[in-house]
Each structure stands twice: as C-alpha cells, then as structure tokens.
Amino acid sequence: MRIVMVCLGNICRSPMAEYVLRHLAAQAGLSERIQVDSAATSRYQIGETPHHGTRRVLAAHGIPCGNHRARQLTRADYGRYDLIIGMDAENLYDIRRIVRRDPEGKVHALLDWSDNPRDIADPWYTGDFETTYADVLEGCRTLLDDLRRRA
Ligand code: 4NP
C-alpha cells in the first residue's frame, strides 16, 4: 500500500501526517506493507524542510521526523500511489486539478475515515500545531484501522 499525504505547502500538515502514519505503521509491525510519502499542491515551499512547528510537535510526541524536502504532486503520481490524501477541501480541489481524473477513487481527505469528517486547519495560518497534530493523529489512526480491517 503506497500512500501520499498532500497539503498546500508540504511543510506543515502533510509531512506531519507522513511521519505520524509511518510511526503508527511501525508500531503495528506494518512498515513493510505501508509506504508513506508527502507532497504539496503548490510550489510555494519546494525544497524546504518541515516547518519547525511540525518538527517540535512531532518531537514532543516522540515521533521521529525525517529529512523530507517539499515537492509538488504531479499527474504521474496518480499511478504511483494507492491513496492520495488531502488535509482539507481546498487540497482535494487542487489534487483533482493536478491528477485531472480519479477513475480508481484514490483521492480522499485524511479525516474521511473519522466518525466526524472535517477539514484539518492549516497551522501556517493558525499557529496551532497541537490542534493540527490531534486531528492528524485521529485521521491516521482511523485510516490505519481501516487498512488493517481490509488486509
Ligand atoms: P501546509 O501549510 O499546507 O500545512 O504545509 C502551509 C505552508 C506554507 C504555505 C501555506 C500553507 N505558504 O503559503 O507558503
């Protein structure tokens, strides 16, 4: 299963979701089965490392943060991943604009698996990385539960 987490800049929410899901998959012994990556819809932060707020919140929760560099999602990524997961409705709109068609139903929002589907606020604007972390954790936990049920 290959998953790409997607947000606007690929420095705050999507690298956070990438590292949280990787960590949960490792704890569940599923690192070999679940590959997680991340990408941006925009070109704003191409080449940049994760935001210090993302790094700080991951460290505070004992989650390893790798040396990801922001990159933009491409149309070819549609064939490379099984799931393309945005953080909010704007991300979904932009993902669909990039991949153009979603015949295999790969495009979802991270909180689609939650009992309370909703957007994940962008901490670039809110400054609240803890609230974003709680939402990302809920999304990754419910997604992983679903993947395990279907495995
Ligand atoms: P992200 O947050 O989409 O969660 O990575 C943002 C990061 C950078 C910008 C916007 C949102 N920006 O405008 O550069």
Side-chain angles (χ1 to χ4, degrees), residues 7-13 44-45 122-125:
C7 65
L8 179 59
N10 191 209
I11 58 168
C12 299
R13 292 166 296 174
Y44 301 150
Q45 302 286 342
D122 191 340
W124 176 264
Y125 302 110

Side-chain angles (χ1 to χ4, degrees), residues 78-133:
Y78 192 80
R80 298 195 181 108
Y81 296 98
D82 302 300
L83 288 174
I84 300 170
I85 301 179
M87 304 296 130
D88 62 27
E90 182 188 340
N91 298 158
L92 296 188
Y93 179 86
D94 292 334
I95 291 166
R96 293 197 171 105
R97 188 175 44 79
I98 291 168
V99 304
R100 299 195 211 163
R101 293 170 58 248
D102 181 18
E104 297 178 65
K106 295 178 176 184
V107 179
H108 300 269
L110 183 55
L111 284 170
D112 278 357
W113 286 273
S114 146
D115 289 337
N116 177 20
R118 61 196 187 278
D119 286 351
I120 296 181
D122 191 340
W124 176 264
Y125 302 110
T126 66
D128 184 353
F129 285 80
E130 271 297 338
T131 296
T132 295
Y133 173 79

